[in-house]
Amino acid sequence: MIKIILRRSSPFLILAFFIAGAAILIGTKESPEQKENEIPVPIIDVLSVEQKTVSLNLPSYGVVTPKNKTQLVTEVQGRMQSIAPNFVAGGVVKKGDKLAVIEPSDYEADLMQAQASLAQAEAALEEEVARGEVAKNDWKGFDGGVPPKLGLRLPQLKKEQANVKFQQAALARAQRNLERTIIRAPFDGIIKARNVDLGQYVTLGTNLGELYDTRIAEIRLPLTNQDLAYLESVDKPDTQVTLSASLAGKTVTWIGQIVRSEGVIDAENRMVYLVAEIKDPYLRDGRKEGQMPLKYGSFVTAVIKGRTVEGIVKLPRHLVRNGSVAVVSKDNVIEIREVNVVRTDLDSVYIKDSLADGERISLTKLNHMSAGQVVKILGQADDTDTGVDNPQSSKEQRLANAGDQ
C-alpha cells in the first residue's frame, strides 16, 4: 500500500523539488551591471575658409560657324569646261583662286562684236564732227544772223556721241560676261560643298557650291537672363571667352572675344545669345607649336569672363544644402548657418558676406547632422586639445568617483 502511495505521489514530489530549486535560484541571482549608453562622437573632415577676389565666370556652349559664308552661283550660262582640283568639299582656297571655268567661246565672240561696234560708232562720231566743222565754215559766209542747230549738225553729233557711249557700255558688259566665265573665290575660305561636275550645263543662278570664310569664326553662346547680371556691361559685353573642345582624345582651348549681344530673348528657350569671335580659326596665318585649328561644326564649351568681385568664398556645390552650410566652431560644435549664395555653376557655389577667413566647413556628410552636435576633427591628436569633453572619458571618471565613495 505504501509502495502504491509513493509511486503515485512521486511526480508531485519531483515537481515540488524543482519549484523549490527555482525559487532558490531566483532569490540568489545578482542584478546586471548598469551601463550608460555610449554615444560615439562622429569624426569629420573640414575645409578652412579663404576669401578671394574672383571673376564670376559664366559657363555656356555653342557650335563653331563661319562669320561669312556664300553660295557660289553662276552669272552666265554655258557648259563647265574645267574644275580646279581644290574645288572639292574640304578644299582650302585663297581669295581670287580660280575654281571653275565655263565654256568662254560664245562670250569671246560677243566681246569681239562689241569691240567692232564700238569702233564703228567712234568712226561715225569722228565723221559727224568733221561734218559739223564743214557746216560751221559754210555759215560764216552768210550775214543772216545766228545759224540754226540743225544747220550746224549739232543733233546728229549728239546722236553719234550717245551711240559711242552705248557701244562702250556693251563692250564693258561683254568683258564682264567673259570674266564671269571664270568662277573665283571671293575670300580666303574652305569649300563646304560642290554641286556641279565637269561638262555639266549651267544656267544663270545655278548653285555651284558653298564657301566658308576662314578668317573669322563665330560661336553663339546662350545665357539665361539672370546670368547677364554678372557681365561688366550688358549692352556692350566686350569680354574674353575661353573655348574648349575634345580633339584627338585631348582637351584643346582657344581664346576669343565676345563682340556683341543679339539683344533679344529667344522665344523657344528663353535664352539670350552672346556672339564670340575667333580670328584665324584654321591657323592659315601661322601656327605655333601645340596649336590646333578650330574647325567649323565643332561643339565647344565656353567660359565667359564675368565681373570681378571681392570677398568671395568658393565651395564645392555639394557642401551647400538648402542654402546652408555646416560650420564647425572652435569648440568642435556644429553650427548650421544660412549663407548668401551669389552664384552657382555645375561644380561650385560662390558665397559672399557669410563666412569669415579661417572658419571651418564640414566636408563630411553625416546622416543626422544638427546644430549643437559635438564632433571630432579628422587628424586631431586628442579631443582635450580642443576643449571638447569626451563623453567616454566623462563616464569613466564618474565610475571611478562612485568606487571611491
Side-chain angles (χ1 to χ4, degrees):
M1 184 69 179
I2 297 174
K3 291 182 180 180
I4 296 173
I5 295 173
L6 290 175
R7 187 171 60 250
R8 293 180 177 179
S9 61
S10 59
F12 297 100
L13 292 175
I14 293 172
L15 181 60
F17 174 77
F18 279 107
I19 292 174
I24 293 172
L25 291 176
I26 293 174
T28 59
K29 73 174 183 178
E30 296 181 358
S31 299
E33 182 182 358
Q34 300 294 326
K35 293 184 178 181
E36 296 181 359
N37 293 329
E38 296 183 4
I39 303 176
V41 178
I43 301 176
I44 65 172
D45 196 6
V46 295
L47 171 68
S48 182
V49 169
E50 181 182 0
Q51 294 186 359
K52 297 181 180 180
T53 299
V54 300
S55 295
L56 299 179
N57 297 331
L58 305 174
S60 188
Y61 56 88
V63 177
V64 182
T65 59
K67 182 176 182 180
N68 300 308
K69 58 183 178 179
T70 185
Q71 301 287 337
L72 300 171
V73 298
T74 57
E75 296 178 90
V76 294
Q77 61 185 11
R79 195 172 302 279
M80 299 300 299
Q81 186 181 58
S82 64
I83 295 178
N86 57 346
F87 188 24
V88 291
V92 178
V93 298
K94 294 183 178 180
K95 181 179 180 180
D97 283 356
K98 183 187 297 185
L99 303 180
V101 177
I102 299 174
E103 173 60 47
S105 56
D106 290 342
Y107 300 97
E108 290 173 347
D110 291 342
L111 178 62
M112 295 176 63
Q113 289 179 357
Q115 291 173 340
S117 298
L118 177 61
Q120 291 177 352
E122 289 175 343
L125 175 62
E126 292 177 0
E127 181 180 354
E128 191 58 46
V129 169
R131 290 178 178 178
E133 292 294 330
V134 172
K136 184 186 295 184
N137 293 331
D138 292 341
W139 278 98
K140 288 181 179 179
F142 295 91
D143 295 331
V146 179
K149 293 181 179 182
L150 184 60
L152 297 178
R153 302 188 63 84
L154 294 180
Q156 293 87 337
L157 177 63
K158 290 183 177 180
K159 177 182 177 182
E160 296 301 333
Q161 290 175 338
N163 190 34
V164 169
K165 291 183 178 180
F166 178 84
Q167 297 301 332
Q168 288 175 341
L171 176 62
R173 183 183 300 108
Q175 289 175 337
R176 288 196 302 271
N177 286 340
L178 181 60
E179 292 174 357
R180 288 167 180 171
T181 59
I182 301 176
I183 310 301
R184 299 184 182 275
F187 44 71
D188 295 348
I190 183 170
I191 302 297
K192 173 63 171 59
R194 192 188 80 188
N195 303 326
V196 294
D197 289 318
L198 190 64
Q200 180 177 343
Y201 187 85
V202 295
T203 59
L204 294 177
T206 299
N207 185 359
L208 303 180
E210 190 172 9
L211 178 65
Y212 283 177
D213 189 356
T214 56
R215 294 172 295 181
I216 300 178
E218 281 191 348
I219 306 96
R220 296 176 70 237
L221 303 173
L223 290 177
T224 63
N225 200 25
Q226 292 77 8
D227 286 341
L228 296 179
Y230 302 114
L231 295 174
E232 293 289 352
S233 174
V234 178
D235 297 328
K236 296 181 179 180
D238 185 9
T239 186
Q240 181 178 292
V241 58
T242 302
L243 305 172
S244 60
S246 179
L247 294 178
K250 63 179 181 179
T251 301
V252 185
T253 60
W254 301 267
I255 303 299
Q257 197 75 15
I258 300 294
V259 295
R260 70 180 188 275
S261 169
E262 292 189 353
V264 296
I265 298 177
D266 192 284
E268 295 182 359
N269 55 22
R270 311 306 301 167
M271 304 288 272
V272 178
Y273 284 87
L274 302 183
V275 179
E277 285 188 357
I278 298 287
K279 294 184 178 179
D280 191 24
Y282 279 77
L283 306 178
R284 300 186 63 178
D285 295 337
R287 176 185 296 190
K288 297 180 181 179
E289 184 177 356
Q291 278 188 311
M292 297 287 288
L294 180 58
K295 297 181 179 180
Y296 294 142
S298 300
F299 180 84
V300 295
T301 58
V303 178
I304 303 171
K305 185 177 181 181
R307 289 190 296 110
T308 301
V309 182
E310 298 179 352
I312 292 293
V313 175
K314 181 181 178 181
L315 295 178
R317 187 167 182 172
H318 69 273
L319 297 183
V320 181
R321 306 179 188 93
N322 299 323
S324 302
V325 297
V327 181
V328 182
S329 68
K330 295 181 179 179
D331 298 330
N332 288 0
V333 177
I334 294 293
E335 173 193 352
I336 305 299
R337 183 183 301 177
E338 293 186 0
V339 292
N340 176 30
V341 178
V342 296
R343 188 176 174 277
T344 61
D345 56 29
L346 294 177
D347 302 316
S348 305
V349 175
Y350 300 85
I351 298 170
K352 184 174 175 59
D353 301 332
S354 301
L355 299 170
D357 283 335
E359 286 192 305
R360 299 177 298 176
I361 304 298
S362 173
L363 294 176
T364 305
K365 182 179 180 181
L366 302 178
N367 293 332
H368 302 288
M369 182 178 289
S370 60
Q373 184 176 0
V374 178
V375 295
K376 182 178 179 180
I377 307 303
L378 180 66
Q380 283 188 347
D382 195 342
D383 289 334
T384 57
D385 296 340
T386 61
V388 178
D389 293 333
N390 190 325
Q392 181 67 22
S393 300
S394 301
K395 175 196 169 188
E396 294 175 355
Q397 184 64 34
R398 290 196 300 271
L399 293 176
N401 293 338
D404 292 340
Q405 294 175 356

